[in-house]
């Protein structure tokens, strides 16, 4: 069955460092992959979308890579700030069909001053 | 409206009680999704509407769960004879079309006692 794995342990880093979050998927080939941020008590908020024919996508301090051979996406936050502390969810979207998102469990990031 | 609106924000139900959760999507958004999120987990797909048509209800956990979107805008998720395992956050999301970012509401936290 389709499976999505994200770092299950919380990621603690020092302010100013680069945070790297991993998303691995098995048993399907996504047409694209989305990353969302979720704060406690709030719904997920869209951050970035990367397509299968793109290796890398950037938006301000965020960078996403997509390796369809390794079946992995990496999400980087450079110059991290305490305000970046949240849970980050990846959602690979299977090819075909409508925009049904299947989410990983998420990785909780804590950026310490 | 400015975003996806869900009501109520919090609902406490006695076991066996029926509940109805409301979602007001962004005006003009064709697609609407319901997700269930347990504590510490990612959102799990429940059902999908394109306009008023329910095209996928494969994620509904039992026949106690029912969703509708009669006029292609507001949607209601109804849970009959609630059980403790139904306790979760129920998220609604809408998208303007296919293969685009999803806009989530803040969710309804349901607690069954």
């Amino acid at each position: 069955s389709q499976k999505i794995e994200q770092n299950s342990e919380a990621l603690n880093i020092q302010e100013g460092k680069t945070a790297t979050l991993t998303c691995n998927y098995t048993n399907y080939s996504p047409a694209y992959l989305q990353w969302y941020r979720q704060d406690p008590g709030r719904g997920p908020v869209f951050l970035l979308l990367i397509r299968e024919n793109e290796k890398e996508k950037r938006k301000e301090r965020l960078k996403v890579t997509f390796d369809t051979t390794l079946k992995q996406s990496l999400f980087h936050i450079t110059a991290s700030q305490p305000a970046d502390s949240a849970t980050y969810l990846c959602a690979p979207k299977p090819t075909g069909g409508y925009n049904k998102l299947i989410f990983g469990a998420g990785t909780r990031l804590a950026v310490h001053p | 409206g400015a975003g996806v609106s869900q009501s109520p924000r919090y609902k406490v139900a006695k076991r066996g009680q029926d509940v109805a959760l409301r979602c007001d999507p962004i005006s003009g958004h064709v697609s609407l999704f319901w997700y269930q999120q347990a504590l510490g987990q990612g959102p799990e797909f429940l059902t999908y509407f394109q306009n008023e048509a329910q095209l996928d209800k494969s994620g509904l956990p039992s026949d106690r769960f029912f969703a509708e979107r009669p006029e292609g805008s507001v949607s209601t998720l109804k849970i009959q004879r609630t059980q403790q395992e139904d306790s979760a956050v129920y998220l609604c999301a809408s998208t303007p079309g296919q293969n685009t970012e999803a806009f989530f509401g803040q969710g309804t936290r349901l607690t069954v006692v």
Side-chain angles (χ1 to χ4, degrees), chain A residues 99, chain B residues 26-33 51 93-103:
Chain A
N99 189 26
Chain B
I26 293 172
S27 178
H29 278 197
V30 169
S31 301
L32 184 146
F33 300 81
N51 296 307
S94 69
T95 72
Q98 297 290 334
N99 301 318
T100 60
E101 65 184 275
F103 295 82

Side-chain angles (χ1 to χ4, degrees), chain B residues 13-35:
Chain B
K14 290 185 178 177
R15 196 170 54 168
Q17 188 179 353
D18 296 349
V19 298
L21 313 180
R22 178 187 169 105
C23 173
D24 264 287
I26 293 172
S27 178
H29 278 197
V30 169
S31 301
L32 184 146
F33 300 81
W34 283 98
Y35 286 85

Side-chain angles (χ1 to χ4, degrees), chain A residues 16-18 20 27-28 31 37 39 42 48 80 83-85 88 94 108 113:
Chain A
K17 301 291 186 186
T18 296
T20 298
N27 295 330
Y28 67 117
R37 169 185 173 140
D39 291 282
R42 310 294 293 265
L48 279 168
S80 59
D84 296 326
S85 300
Y88 291 85
R108 190 160 55 86

Side-chain angles (χ1 to χ4, degrees), chain A residues 32 34 36 38 41-44 46 49 51 89 93 97-105, chain B residues 9 33 35 37 40-43 45 48 56 58 91 95 98-102 104-106:
Chain A
Y32 59 81
Q34 298 186 16
Y36 287 77
Q38 188 172 26
R42 310 294 293 265
F46 172 80
L49 181 154
R51 302 189 185 281
L89 300 160
K93 191 274 179 188
Y98 59 90
N99 189 26
K100 173 180 172 179
L101 296 175
I102 308 296
F103 287 91
Chain B
R9 284 293 317 276
F33 300 81
Y35 286 85
Q37 188 172 27
Q41 299 297 313
F45 171 80
Y48 161 67
D56 187 341
S58 61
L91 293 163
T95 72
Q98 297 290 334
N99 301 318
T100 60
E101 65 184 275
F104 282 84
Q106 295 203 65

